[in-house]
Amino acid sequence: MRTPVIGGNWKMYKNPAETTSFFESFRPLVEYSGHCEIVICPSFLDLETAVTATRGTRIQIGAQNLYWAKEGAFTGEVSGPMIRASGCSHVIVGHSERRRYFGETNEGVLKKTVAALDVGLIPIVCVGECEKENAESVLMEQFRYAIGALSDGQFARIVIAYEPVWAIGAGETATPETAADTHRFIRTLVKDRFGAEAANNIRILYGGSIKPENAKSLIAQPEIDGFLVGGASLDPVSFASIVNLEL
Ligand code: 13P
């Protein structure tokens, strides 16, 4: 049995005051949600506030990006050890918006994933195609270069998020069947590279316009091990209703 992960990616939304107020509402709503792991990824500026606001709860906090060097003259960057020291457990790596607007490559994603693992952060490594038509070839390439070079031990500690770029913020999601097919395809890539046990254990999350209304039919697919939610994670009631779907 794979424990589902329900992640919230806040992108470039919310300041510290808004973060505090979110958690005041959200905490009681997920008090009994022991069936899944909850990970919220606010901006760097909000991490400390979020960590403080969730201390003593089951809610975990992650960053949305990191740089692979431990420290140094890299103006504007934030390192894995800094994120770990701020109390985070997770970090999103290779989100399509990072790839698209900030030039991230598969090679960089691999370096960031390794840097995160080196300091004990759990990387949520994102993959996904821009156009529906070439999903398999894009996923194969991303998997091969951004994930395939990890060691077995490193791979065992990551989470994969499949986010078709055409579904992000678009109001359009993959149908549950298509999403499940793609997750199955990714699991086959995992099996070929890391073996059957790794393929059975890896959590593959789905992301792209997840809302309380469409989440139920997607999570009903055994291939889908949770979500990475953008817009709907900004509202405590919406996000809690996605978290609590299986209660
Ligand atoms: P939306 O849920 O807003 O489409 O964003 C998805 C996403 O990019 C999560 O990482």
Side-chain angles (χ1 to χ4, degrees):
M1 254 312 262
R2 299 183 288 265
T3 306
V5 180
I6 310 293
N9 173 10
W10 281 2
K11 309 194 178 185
M12 201 175 70
Y13 293 97
K14 292 197 194 293
N15 60 32
E18 290 162 338
T19 299
T20 302
S21 127
F22 173 93
F23 283 111
E24 272 165 17
S25 312
F26 184 67
R27 266 188 327 246
L29 299 175
V30 295
E31 212 175 327
Y32 303 106
S33 315
H35 64 291
C36 67
E37 294 172 15
I38 307 168
V39 185
I40 295 191
C41 304
S43 79
F44 286 129
L45 198 65
D46 297 330
L47 291 180
E48 219 173 318
T49 308
V51 166
T52 305
T54 53
R55 200 158 278 142
T57 73
R58 295 183 47 265
I59 306 164
Q60 304 181 80
I61 302 300
Q64 298 173 14
N65 181 31
L66 79 163
Y67 190 60
W68 55 74
K70 287 194 166 55
E71 60 181 8
F74 301 105
T75 301
E77 293 297 317
V78 177
S79 73
M82 292 168 177
I83 294 166
R84 191 75 182 116
S86 73
C88 290
S89 51
H90 291 68
V91 60
I92 298 172
V93 182
H95 190 277
S96 63
E97 287 150 15
R98 301 285 328 160
R99 295 177 188 258
R100 187 173 183 174
Y101 303 125
F102 304 99
E104 290 205 359
T105 60
N106 288 326
E107 191 192 15
V109 173
L110 176 64
K111 281 167 130 172
K112 290 183 175 195
T113 301
V114 171
L117 290 167
D118 281 349
V119 290
L121 288 165
I122 299 168
I124 302 174
V125 184
C126 301
V127 295
E129 76 284 1
C130 293
E131 286 128 26
K132 293 179 197 179
E133 295 67 38
N134 54 8
E136 293 201 350
S137 62
V138 170
L139 290 169
M140 262 165 84
E141 183 163 320
Q142 290 177 344
F143 183 83
R144 179 160 173 210
Y145 294 107
I147 298 176
L150 296 172
S151 68
D152 290 4
Q154 287 170 329
F155 181 78
R157 290 183 284 139
I158 76 167
V159 172
I160 294 177
Y162 166 59
E163 303 201 310
V165 178
W166 49 266
I168 295 180
E172 186 187 359
T173 38
T175 63
E177 294 71 27
T178 317
D181 280 348
T182 312
H183 281 223
R184 213 169 286 120
F185 176 73
I186 296 170
R187 221 175 277 286
T188 309
L189 297 175
V190 173
K191 184 162 174 253
D192 291 348
R193 166 63 187 88
F194 294 102
E197 196 184 332
N200 191 44
N201 291 339
I202 183 75
R203 269 96 52 94
I204 306 178
L205 317 184
Y206 177 82
S209 294
I210 289 294
K211 305 276 176 277
E213 305 79 54
N214 59 23
K216 205 179 173 101
S217 56
L218 284 149
I219 202 71
Q221 301 285 334
E223 279 295 332
I224 298 179
D225 304 313
F227 299 122
L228 193 54
V229 184
S233 72
L234 295 168
D235 176 70
V237 174
S238 294
F239 192 51
S241 68
I242 296 170
V243 168
N244 290 333
L245 272 174
E246 287 186 274
L247 285 190

